């Protein structure tokens, strides 16, 4: 594989390192996400559709867990054989953190409203009857 300096930085890799194999890249993917990512790449090779997949990686340099979004497609030769895959990877860790915080805030709001509705219903029951 060939990578841009930014891609190497996202994965915490040394820019002076040699090219990496697919198995090396698979090893950086969190085990729980690996099957999903490999499946997306294989579908792209088999069916030619673009791939877009969000998954977690462990950075090589510091073992930090990061979320990434990878998008890409396969380029084929005249006979239809896969020549290479091109893609882009973006670090979306901050976006995932914000989404998680928003979901937690929404969950807490729902709990508060449920509790408030329950607490108001009890004192108002005698008045209603």
């Amino acid at each position: 594989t060939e990578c841009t300096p930014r891609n190497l930085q996202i994965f915490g890799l040394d820019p002076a390192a040699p090219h990496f194999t697919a198995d090396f890249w698979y090893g950086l993917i969190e085990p729980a996400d690996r099957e999903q990512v490999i499946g997306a790449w294989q579908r792209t090779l088999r069916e030619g559709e673009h791939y877009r997949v969000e998954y977690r990686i462990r950075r090589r340099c510091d073992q930090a867990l990061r979320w990434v979004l990878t998008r890409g497609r396969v380029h084929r030769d005249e006979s239809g054989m896969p020549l290479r895959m091109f893609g882009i990877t973006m670090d979306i860790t901050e976006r995932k953190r914000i989404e998680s915080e928003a979901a937690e805030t929404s969950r807490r709001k729902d709990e508060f409203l449920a509790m408030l509705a329950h607490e108001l219903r009890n004192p108002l029951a005698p008045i209603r009857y």
Side-chain angles (χ1 to χ4, degrees):
T1 59
E2 295 179 24
C3 301
T4 64
R6 176 65 180 133
N7 198 50
L8 294 171
Q9 181 185 15
I10 288 171
F11 285 87
L13 301 172
D14 180 4
H19 297 292
F20 305 104
T21 65
D23 287 336
F24 174 84
W25 289 109
Y26 295 152
L28 297 175
I29 300 168
E30 273 297 290
D33 298 342
R34 201 170 290 153
E35 187 176 316
Q36 168 196 356
V37 176
I38 293 171
W41 288 338
Q42 287 174 344
R43 274 190 308 282
T44 298
L45 284 171
R46 193 174 53 250
E47 301 165 14
E49 62 187 43
H50 289 47
Y51 67 90
R52 180 189 187 283
V53 63
E54 294 180 4
Y55 56 99
R56 294 164 297 167
I57 61 165
R58 285 270 171 207
R59 286 173 40 96
R60 179 61 80 142
C61 63
D62 57 9
Q63 294 301 302
L65 185 66
R66 306 294 293 180
W67 274 96
V68 296
L69 164 65
T70 300
R71 302 175 84 161
R73 63 183 177 161
V74 65
H75 286 259
R76 300 179 183 278
D77 63 15
E78 297 79 28
S79 67
M81 293 298 295
L83 247 139
R84 65 181 62 91
M85 289 180 77
F86 285 101
I88 184 169
T89 300
M90 297 167 275
D91 187 330
I92 59 169
T93 304
E94 184 65 14
R95 186 192 88 193
K96 286 291 195 177
R97 184 189 64 75
I98 291 168
E99 287 173 355
S100 177
E101 287 176 2
E104 177 63 17
T105 300
S106 179
R107 185 191 63 77
R108 281 196 229 154
K109 175 198 63 147
D110 292 345
E111 281 181 6
F112 173 76
L113 290 175
M115 183 205 53
L116 182 64
H118 175 75
E119 294 299 324
L120 288 176
R121 199 174 2 210
N122 286 342
L124 294 177
I127 296 170
R128 189 172 71 197
Y129 294 113

